[in-house]
Amino acid sequence: MKGFKPSAPFLLLLPAMIVLAAVVVVPLLLSLYSSFTPFRLTRPETFFVFVGFRNYLSILSNADFWWAFGRTVLLLTIALNLEMLLGLGLAMLVEKATRGQRILRTLMMFPMMFSPILVGFQFKFMFNDNIGLVNNALQSLGITQDAIPWLIEGHLAFIAISIAETWSSTAIFAILILAGLLAMPKEPIEAARVDGCTPWQTFRYVTWPFVMPFAYIAMTIRSLDVARAYDIVKIMTDGGPAGRTELLWTLVARTAYSDGRMGMANAMAYFSILLSIAFTVYFFNKLAAARTQIGAEW
């Protein structure tokens, strides 16, 4: 180290690197290590007891974990499909607008300005069975006579969470798909009309293949968000009733802080990351295939 002379850029970046290592790298390594221990918050000495893959093997036989895993995949499937359909519809409507398109784009981004916690409180109030806006509207319209227990019955609570997730993030799909529509050349659409294609055929074989990569980018972003969904579920149902809306990360938080089993919770968390990686790889492959198809056809 005698002749080592750090460069000026390295010295300038060194404080940021130290802070990043302190707040990201070190906790990450410690959490990874603790997943191989029976660490409990009430027994700090267990942090130094190495048990190998015992926590990971316990997860494989943990019914609660697999139920939470299945609910997370179900929520991800429902939310992504609804958000893509609604986002596509919004993007096409805004793209057709001849006046006020900038205002419409701003309004379309409005749900993204709310934090997930605020969205959770908002929809918890809306779906309240006594004073909620949804039940009051249904009863006022004569659709139902009795209050619907949206957040008390398991299936209805899951539907309410799905609606909240969809409302808060449909704008991501709408914005990205709108960007694709605005970047799309008009000549292929005009050629399709000249050839006698119907509006559906024009959309199916001309418009959709072009905007598909933008949709897959949105799916990649949202799959990571939904796979680690926590805030909205925590506020609206806290995993209830009776664990019927427990997702992966609410289960991880409950295992870590309510039960105090930090080692098991970290093992669940790292196991859950595989879900995010799997969906990310899947959508990236779809994105690459869609871009290749556009390059070949356009």
Side-chain angles (χ1 to χ4, degrees):
M1 300 293 291
K2 201 171 189 181
F4 176 71
K5 293 182 179 180
S7 62
F10 176 79
L11 291 175
L12 292 172
L13 290 173
L14 185 60
M17 294 169 62
I18 293 174
V19 171
L20 188 65
V23 301
V24 176
V25 178
V26 173
L28 194 65
L29 293 176
L30 289 176
S31 66
L32 179 61
Y33 165 76
S34 68
S35 68
F36 297 101
T37 69
F39 178 43
R40 287 179 176 267
L41 294 177
T42 55
R43 298 176 58 192
E45 68 277 4
T46 57
F47 183 77
F48 303 100
V49 180
F50 188 78
V51 295
F53 290 93
R54 192 173 75 183
N55 288 334
Y56 291 92
L57 294 175
S58 298
I59 290 173
L60 298 177
S61 58
N62 189 331
D64 291 336
F65 176 83
W66 289 112
W67 276 110
F69 184 89
R71 291 189 199 98
T72 304
V73 174
L74 180 61
L75 177 63
L76 194 150
T77 304
I78 294 173
L80 287 186
N81 283 282
L82 285 177
E83 289 170 16
M84 187 185 70
L85 290 174
L86 294 174
L88 176 63
L90 284 174
M92 295 186 69
L93 288 174
V94 173
E95 194 266 340
K96 295 293 184 183
T98 57
R99 292 183 180 179
Q101 192 176 103
R102 291 184 179 180
I103 297 176
L104 291 174
R105 288 202 298 262
T106 303
L107 293 175
M108 194 167 57
M109 295 175 62
F110 188 70
M112 296 175 59
M113 301 177 187
F114 291 91
S115 69
I117 293 178
L118 187 58
V119 173
F121 278 114
Q122 172 186 330
F123 278 87
K124 183 177 182 179
F125 171 77
M126 289 176 61
F127 283 104
N128 185 281
D129 54 344
N130 293 320
I131 59 173
L133 176 65
V134 175
N135 274 337
N136 286 334
L138 293 176
Q139 291 173 332
S140 298
L141 294 173
I143 297 176
T144 179
Q145 299 297 324
D146 301 322
I148 299 175
W150 289 101
L151 301 179
I152 299 175
E153 201 278 324
H155 295 92
L156 294 177
F158 193 86
I159 292 173
I161 291 172
S162 301
I163 293 173
E165 281 283 351
T166 302
W167 180 86
S168 65
S169 300
T170 296
I172 296 176
F173 281 83
I175 291 169
L176 288 173
I177 293 175
L178 179 60
L181 291 173
L182 295 176
M184 181 178 175
K186 303 302 180 184
E187 291 79 5
I189 296 179
E190 294 173 358
R193 291 173 179 169
V194 171
D195 291 339
C197 294
T198 63
W200 167 249
Q201 291 173 329
T202 303
F203 169 78
R204 173 66 181 83
Y205 297 105
V206 179
T207 305
W208 177 242
F210 188 87
V211 301
M212 193 182 298
F214 297 88
Y216 282 130
I217 292 173
M219 284 185 178
T220 303
I221 297 171
R222 283 295 295 147
S223 65
L224 293 175
D225 289 338
V226 179
R228 55 186 175 84
Y230 175 77
D231 308 73
I232 291 177
V233 181
K234 176 67 177 177
I235 297 300
M236 290 184 66
T237 63
D238 196 17
R244 297 292 181 85
T245 59
E246 192 86 275
L247 302 183
L248 281 177
W249 289 99
T250 57
L251 177 62
V252 169
R254 191 182 306 281
T255 303
Y257 302 113
S258 298
D259 301 339
R261 297 184 296 163
M262 188 63 73
M264 177 64 73
N266 283 326
M268 288 181 178
Y270 278 98
F271 198 90
S272 303
I273 291 174
L274 296 176
L275 174 64
S276 301
I277 294 174
F279 276 97
T280 301
V281 171
Y282 173 77
F283 288 126
F284 265 119
N285 290 336
K286 288 289 188 180
L287 173 61
R291 293 179 65 182
T292 302
Q293 181 180 356
I294 289 178
E297 295 180 357
W298 294 63

